[in-house]
Amino acid sequence: MTIEITKKQVSEILVCDIRTVTTYQNQATNPLPISRKGKRGTSNIYDARAVHEWDLQRKISAYLSKNELNEDTDIEHERFRLTKAQADSQEMKNQVLRQELAPLILIEIAIRKWSEQARSMLDATPLKVKKLLPKMKATEIEIIRREIIKIQNAISKIRLDWSELPDDN
C-alpha cells in the first residue's frame, strides 16, 4: 500500500526546509525518490515509505562515513605514535653513543665485576688482619669473618627497585 505525501509533508518528516527537499531530490548521487513527478503547475508526489527508507539509508551512510573518518584518525594517531617511538629510540641510541646513557646489560656487568672484586677483597680481609695483628686470637678473627659473611649476604640480596626512580626520568 502506497501512502502519497506532498513536498511539505516530506519536509516535516525530514525536519528540513522545503528548499532542502528540492536539493535532496536533485542530488546526483542518491537523490530523494519521487513517486510521481509533477507537471507544470502541480507538485511532485512522494511515497512515504520510500522517503523513510531514503532518509534511513542517508543516515546510515553518514554514520558509516563518520566511523571511517574515525578509523582514518586512529590510523593517523598510530602513525604519529610509531614515528615518535622511532624518534625516541634513535635519541636513546645517540645518548648511548655519546656515553650519556648506558644499556642496562652494561650496568649489570659493571655491578657484577664490582661485586666480585669486593667479595674477593672481603674474603682476604681476615688474613690481612691476622698478618697485621699476629697477636689476634683465632676467635677474634672468626668474629671478623662472620661479620664479613653477613655483609656479603646483605649485598647479595640487593635488587633494583624501580619504584625508587625519580619522577623526572
Side-chain angles (χ1 to χ4, degrees):
M1 178 169 151
T2 303
I3 300 173
E4 294 181 340
I5 57 176
T6 65
K7 186 182 273 191
K8 182 174 181 347
Q9 291 170 319
V10 170
S11 73
E12 290 170 1
I13 290 170
L14 299 178
V15 190
C16 67
D17 190 74
I18 290 177
R19 290 175 293 204
T20 306
V21 173
T22 303
T23 303
Y24 286 156
Q25 72 189 24
N26 293 332
Q27 312 185 116
T29 57
N30 192 25
L32 176 69
I34 301 170
S35 180
R36 222 174 36 232
K37 200 144 178 96
K39 298 195 187 317
R40 211 171 258 274
T42 61
S43 298
N44 293 336
I45 301 296
Y46 304 87
D47 179 358
R49 176 173 293 195
V51 168
H52 281 291
E53 288 175 0
W54 175 87
D55 189 37
L56 181 62
Q57 183 182 25
R58 179 177 66 97
K59 288 176 180 173
I60 289 171
S61 294
Y63 173 79
L64 291 176
S65 66
K66 179 183 174 191
N67 280 352
E68 287 172 5
L69 180 64
N70 285 345
E71 287 174 12
D72 290 344
T73 303
D74 290 345
I75 290 169
E76 287 302 315
H77 178 69
E78 290 302 316
R79 282 188 186 136
F80 168 76
R81 286 184 56 231
L82 176 61
T83 303
K84 184 176 181 329
Q86 289 171 336
D88 290 347
S89 175
Q90 186 59 50
E91 179 56 28
M92 288 173 66
K93 288 176 185 174
N94 291 342
Q95 287 176 319
V96 169
L97 289 173
R98 292 189 303 261
Q99 297 181 352
E100 296 170 351
L101 187 69
L104 188 57
I105 189 72
L106 184 62
I107 294 169
E108 288 176 350
I109 291 168
I111 290 172
R112 189 178 315 117
K113 286 181 179 179
W114 173 83
S115 64
E116 288 170 1
Q117 187 178 11
R119 192 178 117 238
S120 67
M121 291 172 75
L122 287 169
D123 284 342
T125 301
L127 291 175
K128 286 183 178 180
V129 170
K130 180 67 175 163
K131 283 183 181 177
L132 292 171
L133 303 169
K135 293 184 180 181
M136 194 173 245
K137 296 179 185 174
T139 55
E140 294 169 332
I141 296 293
E142 188 55 34
I143 292 170
I144 293 172
R145 190 182 323 271
R146 274 191 244 132
E147 288 303 312
I148 289 174
I149 290 171
K150 285 180 189 176
I151 293 168
Q152 289 173 329
N153 288 338
I155 291 172
S156 72
K157 292 178 185 174
I158 294 174
R159 299 288 178 257
L160 289 177
D161 185 0
W162 292 94
S163 67
E164 292 179 10
L165 191 65
D167 289 338
D168 60 340
N169 288 334

